[in-house]
Amino acid sequence: MSIDYQTIKHELQRQLGEKAVTDDPVRRFAWSTDGSYFRIVPQLVVTANRIQDVEHTLAVARRHQAPITFRAAGTSLSGQAVGEGILLRLGYDGFRDIHISDDRNTVTLGAAVIGADANAQLKPFDKKIGPDPATLTSCMVGGIVANNASGMCCGTTENSYKTIASAKLMFADGTYLDTGDEASKAAFLKQCPQLIQTLTEMAAQTKANEVLANRIRHKFSIKNTTGYSLNALIDFSDPFDIINHLIVGSEGTFAFVEEVTYHTVVEARFKASALAVFYNMVDAASAIPPLKTDAVAAAELLDWASIKAVTGKPGMPEWLSDLPEGAAILLIESRANDQDSLNAYTQQAIDAIKHIDTERPIEFSTDPNVYGKYWAMRSGLFPIIGGERPRGSSVIIEDVAFQVEDLAAAAADLSDLFDKHNYPEGVIYGHALDGNFHFIITPHFKRQEDIDQFDRFMQDVAKLVIDKYDGSMKAEHGTGRAVAPFVEMEWGVAAYDLMKKLKAAFDPSGLLNPGVILNDDAEIHVKAIKQAAVVDDWVDRCIECGFCEKTCPTSELNMSPRHRITTLREIHRLEQCGDHQGAETLRAQAQYDVIDTCTACQLCTIACPVDNNMGMLVRALRGPQIDNTAQKVLDFQAKHFGAVNQVLSTGFEVLHGIHKLTGSTVTGKIMDLGRKVSSEVPYWDPSFPRGSNLPKPTPADGSDKPTVVYFAACGGRTFGATPEDPDSTTLPDVMTILLERAGYQVIIPNNTRSLCCGQMWESKGDYKNADAKRTEMLSALKEMTDNGRHPVIIDALSCTKRTLADSDIDFTLLDAVDFIHDHIMDKLPPVKKKPSVALHVGCTATHMGAGTKMETIVSRYSDEIVRPDGIYCCGFAGEKGLYKPEINKSALRHLKAKLPSQISEGYYANRMCEMGLTRQSGISYRHLAYLVEECTRS
């Protein structure tokens, strides 16, 4: 039966709104990938921010018998977050409530809450959620529960299965259940008696089948996310407890998870780590059983191939190069709530393995600077291998589990499989305390022979893990499509039949995430494999993990760097296949989403485990798109920038006067007419600032005061006060007053109006003019320094950053933030303090590491600092906010709601960003120099 997705789209748009439902080919393709090696393009992408959105989508899906896949952050590694039909993804605005119980013993989390954000709220109470996947800073609670995701420390005792208290669920038929609410459970009993009866009978039958029950217990004695959580049928008798725990690890095939309540676990205050270096893998593995005590919280194993991969890399211990071939490392961590207990634990750990020879003495460190390097070695393994893989190859991380006594032999067997199937780059590492190995390979999937090779490898892995060791094909990454063909092989016929009955009971029509966990296609793990086409060095290392999505200012608007990269890869794949028309069509369709709306803030680089830089790539891609006319305009602006800058400043002052006389409606219409003539005319907004001015320092008086060269960056000398600002004093005037008050003689370049760091040209991809303007500016500034005697101060972080980048500067150049912190604060103690102010630490401040100094400055002159969480970039992107205001609006859509009502002013250190912050918050945002000047004014 064919499915009419156009009709489905229109029905859903009528109920959810047009923006929430799309069949746009670019955005469908962008959402066809998760952290796995699969690509499945959905027919529709639905964004859900309310449970009503899910309810409506399920109703339409049932009516048309359309498959539906639920997606949280999409960091999953087994292909469970992609699917045909309708892809329902959690939006960036809903399902984000966090409620901590009064006794701190439980926490209730919306499905879209990021795991690390939950822990940040719990940290003041020395609590955390139990699950600790490596993706915790990016993955969402809905995905954590659906995959029973875990990591280095939670093991099988603090994962979602063991710590879930209750859940709010919506089933395929639209029925709603809160397993923590008695009234909801009573209603569900009436609505779904057959499901309750089926689960009760299945639990009783499974308990009565001693062979099957023992099989289930054995399988879950180690980490296991292969198939469904059958242990729920033998661990519980109450049907709602059974539902609660069956949902864990069900990967969206049973129900939609709206909310979860966890029992919290203790976050130990005291930690210590040690590196135990063994001469071989057998000795390292033999150390695991005696370490499985309360004294050891984690034990991470690195094989010889892993050690070689990280040796010599930045931040890695130098002595790694001296280790004998075949060595293995255990990274051991102990945790406690007091120092005495920690000391006892570390000694207990040392004593437990003292009978095994080590290459060097085992010494625990409680110094974060020391053990931080140990964990950097462990966490650096994946990005190093992923970042150094051949261009065009994929990176695959599989995770398997064995009984701890089998670890050494299993590691040797896995290494043999790497050799047999020609994956020499393969490395093994993992959570040895739980018998959990991860292994990484970096195959190409360009030819059918490559896919066949991978298939043979996985078949041999399955025989090894299942037939030889009776282990788990998936320990913590979920079954997905990657090991769906091996579920029955691992579990046996009886257990597999149980799983099929469970699926039929929860989802009789088979609409929820079909093909995931249970799949009759024995080759599903080698179908729909995505191609990693070569694009550019800036992004070819991308593993499409999605870590960048949390901080990208356009994730909610349209795309994140992951989406942009996967789209560019498809364009290049089409070109490489000879489909030039298809490539050109997709390139044109993707222009707005991929190129035009990227702010190039480069926050993705900080979040990225393999150091991709989408921002720099987008700037490079914009360059060739500059036509002759546009290039002439850019050349004119660069050559005559003094006049251009003056016209801009005067123009905004005139615009302020027009608005004052005529109001917003008339002013807006004038701007609309102007924009029809030139795309350089911005969209009107009532928050537009007045024009500004150049600094006007006091003439030199012949005294011996220290001299500083003050350069007023473009933003501050072009844009003055906004209507929300408490006065009309411009930044150049405030900086001059502040510097002179601190006892400095201020001088400025004579041709300040003409000077620019080049940022406005670089953002458009015009590196020729950008670099020429920076060179011109540096030359002019150097002339003012009296052979380097006088420091130069710039009053915009982004300008400072670009001026310092890749420049061999032989004079002192500081941002105003640094100068105020290092040279002014001590000279100007506060005369008064503000009770409470907001502080923004934006993308450039993050790149420059200026956040700490900014907080120190503001805390000196204010009793309280409010930093709204989740605000990483304003999205104004230089002047882009004037022409594409939707980016700024989307990036700061939560800012106003996150500011307490008593906050009436905020501070940053870049005028363009402050304009965007002011526009979306409704309060004045200005350079922190204003705060210092006002609070030191006598």
Side-chain angles (χ1 to χ4, degrees), residues 229-241:
S229 299
L230 295 183
N231 43 343
L233 296 175
I234 61 172
D235 290 344
F236 303 97
S237 297
D238 181 271
F240 294 104
D241 284 336

Side-chain angles (χ1 to χ4, degrees), residues 306-545:
S306 300
I307 295 170
K308 288 192 296 181
V310 300
T311 298
K313 298 300 187 295
M316 300 296 114
E318 293 182 3
W319 50 261
L320 290 177
S321 59
D322 299 328
L323 294 182
E325 184 172 354
I329 291 176
L330 273 182
L331 172 51
I332 305 168
E333 179 162 287
S334 294
R335 300 177 178 182
N337 289 320
D338 61 82
Q339 189 62 52
D340 289 342
S341 297
L342 182 64
N343 293 340
Y345 279 164
T346 56
Q347 188 58 52
Q348 184 180 336
I350 292 171
D351 292 343
I353 56 176
K354 65 182 180 183
H355 62 287
I356 305 173
D357 289 337
T358 54
E359 190 271 342
R360 57 188 57 216
I362 301 172
E363 297 178 350
F364 278 87
S365 174
T366 57
D367 183 353
N369 293 321
V370 175
Y371 68 66
K373 293 180 180 179
Y374 301 164
W375 287 100
M377 179 173 64
R378 162 63 177 83
S379 60
L381 185 62
F382 170 61
I384 286 170
I385 294 172
E388 293 187 350
R389 75 187 192 277
R391 297 179 72 192
S393 65
S394 298
V395 58
I396 294 179
I397 311 173
E398 288 294 347
D399 77 308
V400 293
F402 307 94
Q403 299 294 331
V404 291
E405 58 267 22
D406 294 327
L407 283 179
D413 288 341
L414 278 173
S415 295
D416 289 342
L417 290 184
F418 295 154
D419 294 335
K420 177 182 176 180
H421 295 282
N422 196 28
Y423 294 126
E425 76 284 357
V427 301
I428 301 170
Y429 65 101
H431 320 315
L433 208 60
D434 298 304
N436 180 193
F437 276 158
H438 296 310
F439 61 85
I440 303 175
I441 58 174
T442 58
H444 282 277
F445 288 128
K446 293 180 179 178
R447 307 166 303 164
Q448 184 60 44
E449 299 95 287
D450 300 326
I451 296 172
D452 293 342
Q453 175 188 353
F454 177 66
D455 183 25
R456 290 190 296 270
F457 171 72
M458 287 303 297
Q459 297 292 342
D460 278 354
V461 169
K463 293 173 185 175
L464 173 70
V465 173
I466 298 169
D467 293 344
K468 184 171 183 178
Y469 293 108
D470 195 16
S472 307
M473 278 293 283
K474 282 292 183 181
E476 58 185 25
H477 292 170
T479 304
R481 291 172 168 81
V483 299
F486 308 108
V487 176
E488 184 174 8
M489 179 180 175
E490 176 173 329
W491 275 96
V493 174
Y496 194 67
D497 283 345
L498 263 185
M499 294 182 190
K500 289 193 289 186
K501 289 176 182 177
L502 286 169
K503 173 65 173 173
F506 280 102
D507 181 24
S509 299
L511 297 180
L512 303 186
N513 218 355
V516 165
I517 297 184
L518 305 181
N519 199 308
D520 294 332
D521 187 346
E523 297 180 347
I524 193 65
H525 63 298
V526 288
K527 291 182 177 179
I529 294 179
K530 64 188 175 189
Q531 304 271 317
V534 174
V535 176
D536 189 277
D537 285 341
W538 285 118
V539 298
D540 282 339
R541 294 179 297 276
C542 179
I543 56 174
E544 300 185 11
C545 62

Side-chain angles (χ1 to χ4, degrees), residues 29 74 132 187 218 257 267 299 303 352 354 358 391 408 453 527 594 638 654 708 745 763 783 817 832 835 870:
F29 190 86
D132 60 347
H218 175 74
V257 179
E267 171 70 306
D303 73 346
K354 65 182 180 183
T358 54
R391 297 179 72 192
Q453 175 188 353
K527 291 182 177 179
V594 175
V654 171
V708 294
Q745 177 66 56
S763 67
E783 287 182 10
V817 171
K832 66 174 183 177

